Each structure stands twice: as C-alpha cells, then as structure tokens.
Amino acid sequence: IGLDLLQKDPAFDSRFDRKVGVLIEQVTRIDTFLRHVRDFAKPVVLFPTFLSTRSLIGSVVGEMKERFPSLSIQIQFRTGRVYADPERLREVLNNILVNAAEAVEGVGEISIRVSSIREGVRFSVKDRGVGMNFREQKNAFQLFHTTNREATGLGLPIVKKIMDLHGGRVSLVSVLGRGTEVRLDFPTGEESRCVS
C-alpha cells in the first residue's frame, strides 16, 4: 500500500514511523474484515467426497501447532471417514480451533473427538477456556457478534453456513469458567444431502 512507500521515501521523517505503522495495521484489519464479509456473502459451491478424518485433522492440527506452539491438542478417533468438501471442512475446523485456542490463550488444552452418531459423524472440539454466558451462546452464530475485539464476528456464522450446506448441524455447549464444546454433525454420506 502507499503507506509502505511513504516510509521508504528518503524524505520521510522517521519520527512518524510509529503513527504510520498504526495506520498500516488499521488498514490491514479493515481489508481483512471486508474480505471476510465478501467471502461470507458470495455463494458457496461444495465439492464433497469421502474423506479420511485422521489425515484431515492431522493436517489442520499441524497448522494449529505452528500458530500456537504451546497448545496441547488431544485427538480421539472413533470413525474413519466423513462425506464433505475437504476445503470447506478444513475452513470450519480452522475457525473452531482458532476460537478454542484463543479461549485458552494459546497455552491450554483442546480435545478433538470424531465419532459415529445415529445420523452420521460428529466432530467435537472442546476447550477449557473462559466459557460463554447464556447471551453469548445464544448470539454466537449471529453475524458480527464477537467477544474478541480483534475478531470480525464472522467465524461462527461462516461455520454455520458451511454446515447448513452440508445438510449438517453445528451446536455448542458452554459453561462460564469451564470451557466450551462445539459439535459438528455431518449426515451419513449421501450426495443428495449436500446443497449449493
């Protein structure tokens, strides 16, 4: 952006470095927010396939450990495959895991469990963070609702949108001071269940 070029100009007064740095940071945050709004608004097309839950979660957890090296993530598998769009499921898991990591301030424990349920497959992500009160739980999937000043309030609405398109369901259970569990229920793999 132009502010970067301004800082590199030999005539630039370095006393304004900090102020320009703050401006660059704010412009970047606004750009990220607008990109997320645009991504949320555009139609989503699914390309579902049968996926190995083990390899997908292993990949997502690997990325999370790079971002939050002090995080402890426990994984338990009770089923091996799910019928879903790999990129969209990765996006869903990333959103949920980032929320969980931030709830434990990047140093606590998160557990992931993949199991069979009567209707299909359940992914459960549980943290031992601060938890949410009733009002926060009720509004968690509403656009722009967030308890984090740095967040956009689009993460969980995006998760809900993607789960709805899969014919699935997202729900959460939270207790103040004890943490939150987010459940992602995917129906048994039938192409007709996924909509676009």
Side-chain angles (χ1 to χ4, degrees):
I1 54 180
L3 293 170
D4 290 333
L5 295 174
L6 178 65
Q7 281 183 309
K8 292 175 184 168
D9 190 314
F12 179 72
D13 189 335
S14 62
R15 290 178 299 169
F16 295 106
D17 252 357
R18 192 165 109 38
K19 290 181 180 180
V20 170
V22 169
L23 279 173
I24 290 171
E25 186 180 306
Q26 293 300 320
V27 167
T28 302
R29 284 182 64 200
I30 291 168
D31 181 58
T32 301
F33 175 76
L34 292 173
R35 195 168 3 97
H36 286 158
V37 170
R38 186 187 66 232
D39 289 347
F40 181 81
K42 70 183 177 187
V44 174
V45 177
L46 297 180
F47 298 98
T49 186
F50 282 103
L51 302 171
S52 159
T53 57
R54 192 174 297 271
S55 64
L56 181 76
I57 286 181
S59 167
V60 172
V61 166
E63 291 170 17
M64 287 299 295
K65 290 203 175 213
E66 281 182 31
R67 186 168 171 184
F68 300 96
S70 300
L71 197 62
S72 171
I73 302 177
Q74 309 300 317
I75 308 168
Q76 185 178 32
F77 294 97
R78 297 263 169 112
T79 190
R81 296 191 330 155
V82 65
Y83 188 74
D85 181 304
E87 289 311 308
R88 297 303 177 180
L89 180 51
R90 176 183 293 279
E91 184 178 356
V92 163
L93 290 170
N94 246 318
N95 272 325
I96 303 281
L97 286 169
V98 166
N99 285 353
E102 289 173 351
V104 296
E105 299 178 350
V107 293
E109 186 178 298
I110 294 172
S111 65
I112 303 171
R113 186 173 185 208
V114 183
S115 56
S116 293
I117 55 174
R118 192 164 49 90
E119 304 84 13
V121 176
R122 172 173 288 167
F123 288 75
S124 168
V125 178
K126 192 184 283 189
D127 68 62
R128 294 192 179 147
V130 295
M132 291 186 249
N133 63 36
F134 176 75
R135 184 175 166 274
E136 289 167 343
Q137 289 180 63
K138 187 177 160 205
N139 295 319
F141 298 102
Q142 298 297 315
L143 270 177
F144 309 122
H145 174 78
T146 181
T147 56
N148 180 348
R149 286 184 57 229
E150 302 297 313
T152 62
L154 288 166
L156 287 177
I158 287 171
V159 166
K160 183 173 181 345
K161 178 180 179 179
I162 292 171
M163 291 303 295
D164 288 347
L165 289 170
H166 278 88
R169 189 176 105 100
V170 58
S171 59
L172 63 84
V173 178
S174 189
V175 178
L176 272 177
R178 294 178 60 191
T180 300
E181 178 183 6
V182 178
R183 296 173 184 157
L184 307 167
D185 294 345
F186 285 87
T188 303
E190 296 171 14
E191 201 162 356
S192 60
R193 295 278 183 91
C194 291
V195 296
S196 57

